[in-house]
Amino acid sequence: MLRFAPSPTGDMHIGNLRVAIFNYIVAKQLNEGLIIRIEDTDKARNIEGKDKEILEILALFSIDYKTVFYQSENIKYHQKMALQLMTQKKAFACFCSDDKLEELKEESIKKGIPFRYDNFCETLSDETVLNTNAPFTVRLKKPDHNIKFKDLLKGEFDYAPFDIDSFIILRQDKSPTYNYACSVDDMLMDISMVIRGEDHISNTPKQIHIRESLGYTKEIKYVHLPIILNAQTGKKMSKRDDASSVKWLIEQGFLPSAIANYLVLMGNKTPKEIFTLEEAISWFDIETISRSGAKFDIDKLRFINRKHIETLDEMRLSKILGFADESIGKLAKLYLEEASTIKEIKEKLDNIFSIKTTLEGFENESNKIKEVLQKAPYFEEYEDLKNYIVEQTQLKGKNLFKPLRYILTGVENGPNITDIYPFIKNYIGEITR
């Protein structure tokens, strides 16, 4: 079983989506189920509705899964197992205040050493703990041996007990901390492989230590994916980068199929550049992903998006644009030389169907042509329409073609009218209203 475990604390960013896509592909390759686990135990940071937004985005990308699970539903198990650890003297109650811990951190900073808990409360007797009427956290005792694991992408890791420390597993309100809830749930859900970002590498030994303390010995395979870098700055993509938000990319008119294509392509050797997610399942190899940060280049995504639009069925493209006419889909593809997204193409179509006044410098000509077009009969061929307008207005040259183009397209430049006309001839009345 694999899992994708987002937190409902903000917009899904491309790093999260890449993790979801890789989990989906590998789950398909291994013929195992995929669980979506909403990690919602940090109530203070949860944003209402973000869980549904995450699921809607997964649906947009056709990422199917076995079930959706909310981590908060497992709190009773988190607490029960913490009590088990305390009973077995593997965990202990910690009464140290936030002020005391902050003081210890300040001392560590002055000494230039990493902060580690001083284990003051670990030695308290059961009687002292029982008679202490104060709020407490629960800490897991640091391991008595090194924690080792192999990352399928990055190789071997080895953490000493000092690196892991005696860390908190239950907060004062008895809600589970991230590492504790995550490791217990991975155990309960029988997770076989964890694919996530490399910012979680330092969490992995703690989670292994938690499961070992609970007597769970099944090995979980790990893959920690490199961070995504901004191609322009070379730095990690941040929330300040619009393109880091999947929601923003969709709103800008990037197709889910193109975004998925690019996220698989980044930092990867693929048999071809343009492909679907389903095609990738047959050849994708998680162990050959680049170990260095993958650069996200919005211009490259625009190129890939254009290619995906080109392959869309014209009727489907038309419906995406708000129509239900194959001709509109064909018209949309005419603009792919100057537009790369659905939003940009939609703007071109909006210009065509907008109410126009007159073209500056050609006011009289515009009025004449518009009046003729409003009364004109239906013409199958553009040449016949043009000849009819010439006959009715006696206009020619730029006095004819510049205002005519403006009235039919809303702009002064673009594809040839002869190329556009076959797809708008049934809409002349609406276009010239």
Side-chain angles (χ1 to χ4, degrees), residues 6 12 26 28-29 52 72 74 114-115 130 153 156 169 191 207 209 218 249 272 296 299 302 307 329 387 425 430:
M12 183 186 283
V26 174
K28 290 291 185 183
Q29 290 177 331
K52 293 181 177 60
S72 57
N74 248 4
F115 166 71
L130 187 62
L153 194 59
E156 303 287 344
I169 59 174
I191 299 301
Q207 293 172 13
H209 175 43
K218 175 181 174 178
L249 290 172
K272 55 183 180 178
F296 184 92
D299 291 331
R302 290 174 65 85
K307 293 296 183 181
N387 293 335
K425 59 189 178 185
E430 183 178 350

Side-chain angles (χ1 to χ4, degrees), residues 232-389:
Q232 278 68 48
T233 65
K235 297 179 180 179
K236 180 181 178 180
M237 293 280 282
S238 70
K239 292 180 180 179
R240 291 188 294 274
D241 295 311
D242 287 336
S244 72
S245 167
V246 178
K247 185 179 178 182
W248 183 86
L249 290 172
I250 296 294
E251 289 172 347
Q252 292 303 303
F254 290 98
L255 296 174
S257 62
I259 299 171
N261 183 158
Y262 186 43
L263 292 179
V264 173
L265 183 68
M266 281 193 312
N268 195 4
K269 292 181 180 178
T270 61
K272 55 183 180 178
E273 189 172 42
I274 307 300
F275 50 83
T276 66
L277 208 51
E278 295 308 309
E279 287 175 326
I281 292 171
S282 65
W283 47 254
F284 180 80
D285 185 352
I286 191 78
E287 296 186 42
T288 63
I289 298 294
S290 173
R291 295 182 183 184
S292 57
K295 293 184 178 180
F296 184 92
D297 186 341
I298 193 72
D299 291 331
K300 181 67 174 180
L301 177 57
R302 290 174 65 85
F303 166 78
I304 292 173
N305 198 62
R306 192 182 307 122
K307 293 296 183 181
H308 277 261
I309 293 174
E310 284 177 2
T311 63
L312 275 179
D313 173 80
E314 279 83 8
M315 179 58 80
R316 184 183 173 197
L317 177 56
S318 169
K319 289 179 179 178
I320 291 172
L321 291 163
F323 295 82
D325 183 350
E326 189 176 315
S327 292
I328 297 297
K330 292 177 179 178
L331 173 62
K333 290 185 178 183
L334 281 182
Y335 286 100
L336 285 175
E337 286 190 12
E338 53 189 276
S340 303
T341 69
I342 294 297
K343 183 178 179 181
E344 290 170 351
I345 293 172
K346 185 73 165 58
E347 289 171 354
K348 303 293 184 183
L349 298 187
D350 287 345
N351 286 332
I352 291 173
F353 289 95
S354 64
I355 297 176
K356 297 93 170 176
T357 52
T358 56
L359 179 62
E360 185 176 352
F362 297 87
E363 287 80 3
N364 291 333
E365 292 86 350
S366 296
N367 286 328
K368 283 183 180 181
I369 293 171
K370 192 171 184 179
E371 185 178 341
V372 168
L373 284 171
Q374 288 172 342
K375 297 177 181 179
Y378 172 79
F379 290 99
E380 182 70 26
E381 303 295 333
Y382 170 68
E383 282 298 315
D384 294 333
L385 174 68
K386 183 191 70 174
N387 293 335
Y388 176 79
I389 295 171

Side-chain angles (χ1 to χ4, degrees), residues 1-5 15-16 18-27 29-30 34 151-153 186 191-198 200 220-226 284 286-287 289:
M1 192 72 70
L2 282 81
R3 50 76 161 179
F4 171 57
N16 292 139
R18 192 174 187 229
V19 168
I21 288 171
F22 286 7
N23 272 286
Y24 167 75
I25 292 175
V26 174
Q29 290 177 331
L30 298 176
L34 175 64
D151 182 283
L152 296 180
L153 194 59
D186 284 345
I191 299 301
S192 58
M193 179 183 288
V194 170
I195 302 172
R196 58 188 178 187
E198 66 180 8
H200 286 285
I220 295 178
K221 294 178 180 178
Y222 285 94
V223 180
H224 291 92
L225 302 173
F284 180 80
I286 191 78
E287 296 186 42
I289 298 294

Side-chain angles (χ1 to χ4, degrees), residues 361-362 365-366 369 395-404:
F362 297 87
E365 292 86 350
S366 296
I369 293 171
L395 296 172
K396 57 184 179 179
K398 67 177 183 180
N399 289 331
L400 169 66
F401 294 113
K402 289 182 73 70
L404 177 59

